[in-house]
Amino acid sequence: MTPALWPCPLPGGGIAEEYALTFDRQREKRLLIVPALFDEANRLRRFTAEVIRRLDGAGIDCVLPDLPGTNESTQPLATQDTEDWRDAMMAAARHFEATHVLGIRGGCLFTPSNLPRWHYAPVKGASILRQMVRARIVASREAGTEETSEGLLKTGADTGLELGGHRIGADFLRVFQTLKSDETPDVQQIPQDMIGASGLWLRAEPGESRDQADALAAVIAMGLSA
Amino acid sequence: MTTDTDQILRRILGDVLGLRPGQADEFDGDTGLFGHLPELDSMAVAGLLTEMEDRLDILIEDDDIEGEMLETYGALLAFAEAKRTQS
């Protein structure tokens, strides 16, 4: 597994380099993976890497790019909007000549629609946001400050919001809470009950599961050999 | 219904805390949760509440979220049972 750089379009024009983890041996089948978002990205990072190792073993090249403003990216998260993320994943798919795409959880909201896609346990933008807002309310309450979801989302739509250590911009928040992943017939859905008992994104601490990584890799590998 | 809520809640806690199957059966009413288990931070509590909504088919309001209800297994179970009776 090697880090690679790819040119990511900047919102105002121009290019910034972003990182991707890759298993690239110029093989015929090349899978772009759009990672889970925010807190779930951390909890599912190891699981995602484990799936990639298995796919590499099955003869499939894999690319796991950073969304601009996350992970190793040097871009500020606060200036990203949802269109920027969609454009970024399109650009990554083009640069790495991906033939297929796998979205993981919130990553399913940003999978390029011009390629054959799998969506693993997709989640709505509103659900991700609700949970992050709730975490902030729990933390504030413990610190003796009263906040409400409604109040926070209203502030967020005007000035952006700090959620779980992520500074998220107003434009992003406004659109993100309306996003749902595509459910058109061309998208192959992989619900969690195909993979294992409970999703690793539920874990308080990042966990791992050999069985679940095997199961997800098998679904993709079989789909690609069909 | 009481037993059902108890079982579902133990399963959710097992999933969130990454416990081995059956390990959550050892929880009793006084078992400490939020503030007692370091891994159960605000983000994990938020996840726990969302799973409770999904699997117990209840709605948890902002006002419901307070330290006492999250402090012990017994308090969380009592909260969940009261919510299920309401709905």
Side-chain angles (χ1 to χ4, degrees):
Chain A
M1 200 178 305
T2 44
L5 287 166
W6 55 282
C8 180
L10 286 168
I15 294 286
E17 288 197 308
E18 296 288 356
Y19 273 104
L21 273 185
T22 61
F23 267 114
D24 189 352
R25 295 188 214 160
Q26 297 296 316
R27 287 170 288 192
E28 194 186 324
K29 290 162 185 167
R30 301 171 63 79
L31 184 73
L32 175 84
I33 299 174
V34 185
L37 309 181
F38 305 114
D39 205 55
E40 288 191 357
N42 301 331
R43 298 186 206 186
L44 293 178
R45 184 87 182 165
R46 184 176 171 87
F47 170 70
T48 306
E50 286 295 312
V51 172
I52 291 175
R53 285 180 208 285
R54 285 158 172 76
L55 289 172
D56 172 59
I60 298 159
D61 278 352
C62 291
V63 178
L64 176 66
D66 287 345
L67 288 155
T70 73
N71 219 35
E72 306 295 334
S73 176
T74 55
Q75 298 300 310
L77 177 61
T79 58
Q80 302 298 321
D81 66 31
T82 52
E83 243 357 84
D84 298 332
W85 277 11
R86 195 159 295 143
D87 292 347
M89 291 303 99
M90 291 279 274
R94 255 196 319 271
H95 177 78
F96 291 106
E97 298 175 337
T99 58
H100 296 77
V101 184
L102 166 66
I104 295 185
R105 295 285 290 164
C108 300
L109 302 168
F110 301 100
T111 49
S113 56
N114 60 331
L115 291 171
R117 290 181 283 177
W118 283 272
H119 282 173
Y120 167 55
V123 57
K124 285 184 231 164
S127 306
I128 296 176
L129 206 53
R130 180 170 156 76
Q131 194 153 321
M132 290 170 86
V133 165
R134 190 169 260 175
R136 173 157 163 169
I137 291 175
V138 172
S140 305
R141 217 152 272 193
E142 209 196 359
T145 316
E146 287 293 316
E147 289 178 325
T148 64
S149 303
E150 205 184 334
L152 285 171
L153 286 174
K154 195 170 175 303
T155 313
D158 291 338
T159 59
L161 207 55
E162 175 105 16
L163 292 173
H166 307 282
R167 179 81 215 167
I168 303 174
D171 290 342
F172 188 103
L173 281 174
R174 271 197 301 268
V175 179
F176 187 66
Q177 51 191 308
T178 66
L179 292 186
K180 288 179 189 159
S181 67
D182 289 339
E183 287 179 5
T184 45
D186 62 302
V187 181
Q188 301 196 54
Q189 305 288 338
I190 309 174
Q192 176 57 26
D193 57 16
M194 266 174 82
I195 300 305
S198 76
L200 292 171
W201 63 85
L202 291 176
R203 297 279 179 90
E205 298 286 329
E208 61 179 288
S209 161
R210 193 180 296 171
D211 293 346
Q212 292 199 26
D214 285 348
L216 183 53
V219 171
I220 305 292
M222 282 191 285
L224 280 173
S225 64
Chain B
M1 194 174 87
T2 305
T3 343
D4 182 21
T5 308
D6 185 32
Q7 272 175 4
I8 296 171
L9 192 58
R10 284 177 198 273
R11 213 168 305 144
I12 297 171
L13 277 164
D15 290 345
V16 170
L17 297 170
L19 304 177
R20 291 188 304 280
Q23 216 180 332
D25 294 348
E26 291 159 22
F27 288 3
D28 63 27
D30 295 327
T31 302
L33 299 178
F34 190 47
H36 299 269
L37 300 173
E39 63 269 46
L40 205 56
D41 58 9
S42 57
M43 196 62 85
V45 165
L48 171 69
L49 296 175
T50 306
E51 279 304 295
M52 285 171 64
E53 286 183 320
D54 283 355
R55 296 197 217 172
L56 296 167
D57 199 21
I58 57 175
L59 192 68
I60 301 172
E61 311 282 351
D62 290 350
D63 292 344
D64 294 330
I65 305 170
E66 35 116 351
E68 221 166 281
M69 156 276 246
L70 295 163
E71 208 184 314
T72 61
Y73 181 72
L76 192 64
L77 179 60
F79 168 80
E81 281 174 340
K83 274 279 165 188
R84 281 190 107 184
T85 317
Q86 276 172 33
S87 59

